[in-house]
Amino acid sequence: MTLRDKQIVVGVGGGIAAFKAVELVRELGRRGAKVRVAMTASACRFVGPITFTALTGEPALTDLWDPRYPGEVHVELARWAHAIVIAPATANLMARAAQGFADDVVLATLACANSPVLMAPAMHERMWRAAATRRNLERLTSDGVHFAGPVQGALADGSVALGRMQEPAAIADVLAREVFAVRDLGGVTILVSAGPTLEDLDPVRFISNRSSGRMGYAVAAAARDRGATVILVTGPTSIPVPAGVETIQVRSALEMQGAIASALPRVDAIVMTAAVADYRPAESKPRKVKKQGETMTLELVKNPDILAELGRTRQGKRPVLVGFAMETHDVVGYGRKKLVDKRVDLVVANEASVGFGRDDTQATLVGREGDEALPPMTKTELANRILDRIKAKL
Ligand code: C5P
């Protein structure tokens, strides 16, 4: 779920992590959200309201008695908010919120909120573990408040312990994934292949390509967030696999084919983002090949086209099949040819120059019903567009 056009109130509590609330506000803005900030009196001792005012273009609210909003600032803010994020949520703020106190602008806004609330606690580990904080955490959780963190890390006193505020990008992720999630793919199982394949020449050398795995991992994470059961079949990558998905690590195209074949009876849709090597060495030598003459010729044999095989052998319309086409020229033309040749439902066509290793991309969705040229967007947004198409075909 994207945060674009979401209206978020960030309530800043009085702790040293308040400086990270500045980065959180920027991060939410980068993701397209509209942000307004409310601060407790002690938050203002750590960060100046003017910082938030400058970043959001809206006055940061610090006072329940602000003459610009006679008596109603908290009502106004709560009504405007699609979600309220409290960061940092101090032990004191959690305690007061759990009791329903409403004696400053942050607490009063929480008290009249009817949109979801996400808290990012930050405090010393001893405070986090204190019986009273445990009680307040339980109380707030049962009131429906979401939590992001705290995490293990360096605290203000130099110790390394549990109590550090979750990183701003991770808080924004939780907001998008948990608080705003549209779980419209519940009950659907989606297999995503991702990354490159590595085709071994000998124990130390292989043939591969520049696929980073980012697009596939974005599809897997987005499908998970929308409630699907996800099976991720991935070649070796250097990025972390998304949590909460069944991951099968493979190396070569043949291994990938085997992993997909064994999962096949369970799946409703397959998204082949993997850059499967078209050829592999005719022979993978058990010992390292020694250098010899000035030139060397490698004999390669064709790998199975996993996607084309799936298209050829599927019965009826299941599973829904989505392929990728990355080309250096005539991207849409080749995309359409692949749609027909491989007998798939959708081809995501993009140019090699905008694909590899980046977080954003630009693609054309080539389907039987026509082409849809999409504007530049993040891989997560593209993933959601693809999932929308899959949903329509299920
Ligand atoms: O034909 P081309 O390799 O350009 O097709 C790309 C699409 O086909 C991708 O979805 C890729 O995952 C899939 N593919 C495959 N097996 C191969 C080669 C490509 O499944 N051997």
Side-chain angles (χ1 to χ4, degrees):
M1 180 76 191
T2 152
L3 295 179
R4 187 162 300 286
D5 297 328
K6 289 283 184 284
Q7 297 174 181
I8 317 284
V9 169
V10 174
V12 186
I16 181 61
F19 80 92
K20 279 161 71 183
V22 175
E23 182 52 29
L24 174 65
V25 166
R26 293 187 65 200
E27 179 65 21
L28 295 173
R30 279 195 287 266
R31 296 189 190 199
K34 297 192 177 71
V35 182
R36 291 172 71 182
V37 173
M39 305 172 73
T40 65
S42 31
C44 298
R45 301 176 78 120
F46 288 95
V47 204
I50 197 80
T51 304
F52 292 112
T53 301
L55 287 174
T56 60
E58 295 278 348
L61 299 161
T62 58
D63 185 2
L64 212 41
W65 313 108
D66 191 326
R68 286 168 302 182
Y69 305 86
E72 292 289 298
V73 60
H74 54 296
V75 181
E76 217 291 284
L77 262 191
R79 193 178 287 140
W80 179 83
H82 296 151
I84 300 174
V85 181
I86 305 295
T90 59
N92 182 49
L93 225 164
M94 283 175 61
R96 298 163 74 74
Q99 294 300 318
F101 281 119
D103 55 357
D104 68 30
V105 68
V106 174
L107 287 162
T109 305
L110 277 177
C112 63
N114 57 3
S115 48
V117 176
L118 171 66
M119 291 195 177
M123 63 195 76
H124 195 278
E125 183 168 19
R126 282 202 296 277
M127 290 172 99
W128 177 247
R129 298 211 184 279
T133 308
R134 302 281 92 200
R135 268 199 311 276
N136 295 328
L137 175 65
E138 252 172 53
R139 183 61 173 273
L140 291 164
T141 306
S142 75
D143 289 347
V145 173
H146 301 262
F147 281 87
V151 294
Q152 190 90 15
L155 304 184
D157 69 353
S159 64
V160 174
L162 183 68
R164 196 179 150 86
M165 191 170 92
Q166 181 60 278
E167 292 308 317
I171 296 172
D173 284 346
V174 174
L175 189 65
R177 190 163 70 222
E178 214 179 281
V179 179
F180 288 122
V182 184
R183 305 185 80 75
D184 58 349
L185 293 174
V188 175
T189 300
I190 298 184
L191 185 147
V192 183
S193 73
T197 65
L198 272 51
E199 310 295 334
D200 289 325
L201 280 160
D202 69 19
V204 294
R205 304 185 182 95
F206 56 80
I207 296 176
S208 190
N209 59 67
R210 293 172 54 195
S211 171
S212 67
R214 280 191 175 80
M215 188 65 228
Y217 288 18
V219 175
R224 171 204 64 197
D225 293 347
R226 289 171 66 164
T229 300
V230 180
I231 304 167
L232 174 64
V233 178
T234 176
T237 70
S238 59
I239 57 171
V241 294
V245 311
E246 178 186 335
T247 303
I248 305 170
Q249 307 268 1
V250 298
R251 186 172 171 85
S252 63
L254 291 178
E255 273 180 43
M256 182 169 279
Q257 185 185 37
I260 292 174
S262 50
L264 196 58
R266 287 194 282 150
V267 308
D268 301 302
I270 297 181
V271 185
M272 283 293 298
T273 67
V276 184
D278 292 322
Y279 294 90
R280 66 179 183 276
E283 205 186 341
S284 175
K285 300 273 201 278
R287 289 183 168 192
K288 186 180 168 196
V289 177
K290 303 306 288 179
K291 64 173 158 294
Q292 288 167 340
E294 289 308 306
T295 61
M296 176 176 182
T297 307
L298 277 179
E299 198 193 344
L300 302 177
V301 295
K302 209 166 197 172
N303 267 330
D305 188 321
I306 303 171
L307 185 61
E309 279 296 299
L310 290 166
R312 197 175 57 77
T313 55
R314 77 171 156 174
Q315 313 284 324
K317 292 182 165 56
R318 290 294 170 88
V320 173
L321 294 176
V322 178
F324 274 66
M326 184 174 281
E327 301 289 347
T328 50
H329 59 282
D330 191 16
V331 179
V332 176
Y334 280 116
R336 182 145 299 281
K337 184 164 168 4
K338 271 170 220 184
L339 182 81
V340 176
D341 291 351
K342 302 196 189 210
R343 303 193 208 175
V344 298
D345 301 296
L346 184 71
V347 168
V348 183
N350 57 11
E351 236 175 85
S353 61
V354 298
F356 284 127
R358 294 176 34 167
D359 284 323
D360 60 342
T361 187
Q362 183 164 17
T364 298
L365 300 183
V366 181
R368 304 201 178 273
E369 54 289 336
D371 304 342
E372 184 187 359
L374 298 173
M377 55 179 65
T378 64
K379 289 185 175 174
T380 300
E381 282 176 287
L382 176 59
N384 278 307
R385 298 296 192 99
I386 296 166
L387 293 169
D388 290 344
R389 290 293 196 98
I390 290 175
K391 190 179 134 192
K393 292 192 190 296
L394 283 171

